[in-house]
Amino acid sequence: MRTHAMGEMTVKEIREYLKTNKTIIVPYGVVEQHGYHLPLSMDIHNAEVPSYILAEKLGCIVAPPLNYCFSGGQLPGTINVRPTTFCAMMCDIVEALARQGFENILIFPGHGGTESLAQLKESLRILKWINPELEKVMIMILRRGEFWSRKDPRMDGQDFHAGDSETSLMLAYRKNLVQLDQLEMDEPELAERMRHDQDAYQLCTTLSGQPQEIPTTRQRPEIKVGVMGYPEFATAERGRENQENSLTPMAEMIRKAIAEAEANRKSGKRIEVRSPSFENNEYNHKK
């Protein structure tokens, strides 16, 4: 294979590829605030670079990334796209790939935003629900944190955003884009609060105070930098370690999943799982 990049291939090369391989990785990122030491494109690199490493391990190709979704942040440079818009785009991309003959569509988020991710999962579930032609298409959302997580004993709290993990990864990916000499944090009390609660940057208010009212959500005005973690501990070595220790087991899981999916397509076997509606129903969680 001449390249792992779908966008650099020709129609003829895609046609030949599909004769022997029906797997593709679809990365997505976001243009978002990442403090003063990391670029707005952090999550774009965080989607694209690992996708190509994973593609080499799997021997597959990578679609051009979708670089916009919902951040929630509101500092200069951040571009927010409604989760519904992002999900509609991703569903269209999935359908287009499936129509061409791709059967294993692996979505790789570079952005950990819970709003976009939750809506994406449900949008794709409903897409498959209403489109019988997608029954034999395996769609996966691959989150690196589900395969490896490391707790540094120096960190009292979590490392959510623009902290040690992301800064280390960027030092490994694109060191020239990291400006550690510009590293700043918000006021100590606020920075500490955001290390323990990744949604602490949100200010939610209502007019009535009643739980039935949809709140107005804004970024807290006192936030000037928006770092949620410990970037001062970052090293390129930890970034490379993080990368390898997550992508290797991820690739192993995907190989097994593709093999099982292919066997079950041929045999007609299906594996029943509980629906998200059941899992999310408050009644089922009452003791």
Side-chain angles (χ1 to χ4, degrees):
M1 185 164 50
R2 181 177 63 85
T3 177
H4 290 284
M6 180 188 191
E8 297 175 2
M9 299 170 74
T10 66
V11 173
K12 181 179 180 180
E13 287 175 313
I14 293 292
R15 189 176 287 133
E16 290 299 312
Y17 175 83
L18 282 166
K19 290 179 180 179
T20 59
N21 197 329
K22 300 183 185 300
T23 299
I24 189 167
I25 301 172
V26 183
Y28 77 82
V30 70
V31 180
E32 170 183 56
Q33 61 196 54
H34 274 84
Y36 296 169
H37 66 291
L38 291 178
L40 298 168
S41 59
M42 171 71 220
D43 288 350
I44 295 172
H45 301 287
N46 212 21
E48 206 166 8
V49 174
S51 289
Y52 279 102
I53 295 171
L54 192 60
E56 290 182 5
K57 292 178 181 291
L58 298 173
C60 69
I61 62 175
V62 180
L66 178 59
N67 288 337
Y68 295 95
C69 67
F70 182 73
S71 161
Q74 294 177 319
L75 293 179
T78 300
I79 300 176
N80 280 299
V81 171
R82 291 180 180 86
T84 50
T85 303
F86 159 70
C87 291
M89 280 286 291
M90 189 59 80
C91 285
D92 284 351
I93 291 168
V94 166
E95 283 191 305
L97 293 171
R99 281 195 297 270
Q100 294 177 41
F102 288 97
E103 294 180 346
N104 307 305
I105 300 174
L106 313 175
I107 299 172
F108 197 105
H111 173 58
T114 54
E115 297 85 0
S116 290
L117 190 61
Q119 191 142 349
L120 178 60
K121 288 180 178 179
E122 190 64 2
S123 295
L124 291 170
R125 185 174 80 97
I126 292 174
L127 178 69
K128 294 194 72 176
W129 193 343
I130 64 177
N131 190 339
E133 293 180 357
L134 294 177
E135 182 183 353
K136 293 185 177 181
V137 177
M138 182 177 71
I139 305 169
M140 283 188 167
I141 298 176
L142 305 171
R143 300 188 68 192
R144 187 164 36 199
E146 293 176 357
F147 293 85
W148 182 71
S149 103
R150 170 177 171 170
K151 174 79 172 173
D152 192 306
R154 295 171 296 178
M155 300 181 192
D156 177 22
Q158 300 296 321
D159 189 70
F160 294 114
H161 175 79
D164 168 60
S165 179
E166 286 198 314
T167 306
S168 293
L169 286 169
M170 187 56 91
L171 285 170
Y173 298 157
R174 303 280 189 269
K175 183 178 180 180
N176 61 305
L177 297 178
V178 181
Q179 302 181 73
L180 289 176
D181 61 324
Q182 298 297 313
L183 175 60
E184 289 189 35
M185 302 291 290
D186 284 296
E187 292 300 315
E189 187 277 331
L190 180 58
E192 185 62 19
R193 195 189 331 160
M194 290 194 294
R195 290 183 180 119
H196 292 268
D197 178 6
Q198 62 182 326
D199 293 327
Y201 75 97
Q202 298 178 18
L203 175 63
C204 299
T205 61
T206 63
L207 296 170
S208 69
Q210 298 302 317
Q212 291 80 10
E213 183 183 347
I214 303 298
T216 296
T217 305
R218 297 286 183 266
Q219 181 166 280
R220 292 186 178 277
E222 61 267 33
I223 292 176
K224 306 301 180 186
V225 184
V227 175
M228 304 177 188
Y230 303 83
E232 64 272 22
F233 298 146
T235 66
E237 181 182 3
R238 187 169 14 255
R240 288 188 287 270
E241 180 183 328
N242 183 332
Q243 179 176 277
E244 184 59 28
N245 287 350
S246 58
L247 296 181
T248 295
M250 183 187 291
E252 292 174 0
M253 179 279 291
I254 293 168
R255 289 190 198 98
K256 292 178 183 178
I258 289 173
E260 185 164 11
E262 182 57 27
N264 290 340
R265 288 186 188 106
K266 293 176 180 177
S267 69
K269 177 184 175 182
R270 296 295 182 268
I271 301 167
E272 185 173 352
V273 295
R274 283 181 170 176
S275 73
S277 301
F278 180 93
E279 297 295 339
N280 294 331
N281 191 321
E282 290 183 9
Y283 176 81
N284 294 316
H285 294 277
K286 290 180 180 178
K287 295 182 180 179

